[in-house]
Amino acid sequence: MRGTPPELMTGQILSSGLQYSIYILEGVVCVLLVARGSWRHLRGLCLYIGLLFAVDGIGRSAVLSYFGERSIQYFYFYWLTDVALALGAFLLTCSFFHRACAQEEKLWRLVRQMLQFVFLLVVAISVLILTRHMNRLNARGFMVEFSQNLYFSCLVLNTLLFVMIQQLAIADDELGLLVCGLGVQFAGEAAGLALYHLTLGQGISPLLFSILNPVCSLGMLLIWGYAIVKTQKTVQVDTLAGEHTALAEAVSN
């Protein structure tokens, strides 16, 4: 890499190391979900992790190595899969809302209508932005606008969900950790895009953008892995305590 600035080389090496760490952690979370049987009540999370690993770990890497980073094929594949991941993140957020409202059917009906409205609003805003910039009115522009708008909406919804969990005092540690992990990912995505647009992609902002997103993804996966392991232990302790109580009652009787 003759002629490449040392700081850029360091950034590229660090970014590559973070990316491979993400692939490993995605596989670890998948194994934890299956090995501990958590996939039975976390089907949405299991599907999302599977989609994330298939798209980011396999699909994008294969297209990148075959066509190259600056190819039009990689550009369209990246943004098309980004739309798929954004939709997956939105559906995962919806599943978390459904779990939080499991005991409140009336509240869930209201929340479901809100989620439907938000999705339609994102589509309408994406189309409106493109119609005001006729030179960008194409599938390529719509994919970029739609995925970015949907990710921002997921950030807002995830924050609202976290506040709702606190206000309703929902005793679900696993859900709280899963929501926190997703919030870390959304916050990193939003902060990275904001920094990139504010600096117009100049200076070290592209380098920070390429590092910030993987760091937040690592944080999300670590929190999710901790949630799966911690809540599994809690369930086992509660089960053993219940068995001991039942046995003690049987002996006393």
Side-chain angles (χ1 to χ4, degrees):
M1 301 179 67
R2 185 179 301 174
T4 303
E7 62 273 12
L8 184 57
M9 289 181 60
T10 303
Q12 291 174 347
I13 295 172
L14 180 59
S15 180
S16 298
L18 289 171
Q19 200 62 50
Y20 282 111
S21 300
I22 290 173
Y23 300 155
I24 294 172
L25 270 180
E26 287 171 353
V28 169
V29 173
C30 287
V31 170
L32 285 175
L33 284 168
V34 174
R36 295 180 176 270
S38 301
W39 64 271
R40 295 185 179 89
H41 68 281
L42 293 174
R43 291 185 178 89
L45 180 65
C46 195
L47 290 173
Y48 181 72
I49 288 291
L51 176 65
L52 196 62
F53 183 75
V55 167
D56 197 36
I58 301 176
R60 286 178 177 175
S61 299
V63 174
L64 176 63
S65 61
Y66 188 80
F67 291 103
E69 184 178 1
R70 298 184 180 276
S71 65
I72 191 65
Q73 292 88 347
Y74 178 70
F75 178 89
Y76 275 104
F77 185 82
Y78 178 90
W79 284 106
L80 183 62
T81 53
D82 200 60
V83 170
L85 291 175
L87 287 171
F90 180 78
L91 292 175
L92 181 61
T93 304
C94 292
S95 72
F96 289 163
F97 267 106
H98 183 260
R99 177 168 170 174
C101 302
Q103 306 300 325
E104 301 286 344
E105 185 62 29
K106 292 183 179 179
L107 179 60
W108 167 240
R109 285 199 295 266
L110 180 63
V111 169
R112 182 174 59 189
Q113 293 175 355
M114 178 196 70
L115 294 172
Q116 293 171 348
F117 173 76
V118 168
F119 182 78
L120 293 176
L121 184 63
V122 169
V123 175
I125 290 176
S126 300
V127 173
L128 180 62
I129 291 175
L130 288 175
T131 55
R132 296 182 63 181
H133 301 82
M134 297 302 294
N135 59 321
R136 296 167 57 193
L137 188 58
N138 49 39
R140 167 181 170 178
F142 179 77
M143 287 190 297
V144 175
E145 290 291 343
F146 177 72
S147 63
Q148 291 181 356
N149 293 337
L150 192 56
Y151 272 125
F152 179 76
S153 300
C154 287
L155 171 62
V156 176
L157 289 172
N158 194 77
T159 304
L160 178 62
L161 174 58
F162 183 79
V163 173
M164 188 179 79
I165 291 174
Q166 303 305 312
Q167 291 297 318
L168 297 179
I170 299 174
D172 191 340
D173 293 339
E174 183 180 62
L175 178 60
L177 287 170
L178 295 177
V179 171
C180 286
L182 199 57
V184 169
Q185 173 63 30
F186 290 151
E189 185 82 18
L193 286 173
L195 176 65
Y196 189 85
H197 287 301
L198 285 174
T199 59
L200 300 177
Q202 302 299 317
I204 63 172
S205 61
L207 176 60
L208 292 177
F209 181 73
S210 66
I211 293 177
L212 182 61
N213 280 350
V215 167
C216 290
S217 296
L218 280 174
M220 176 188 71
L221 293 169
L222 286 171
I223 293 173
W224 282 358
Y226 175 74
I228 296 169
V229 173
K230 176 182 180 297
T231 52
Q232 183 72 15
K233 288 182 178 179
T234 302
V235 170
Q236 290 175 352
V237 170
D238 293 341
T239 301
L240 288 174
E243 290 176 352
H244 291 162
T245 302
L247 180 60
E249 291 177 353
V251 171
S252 62
N253 293 332

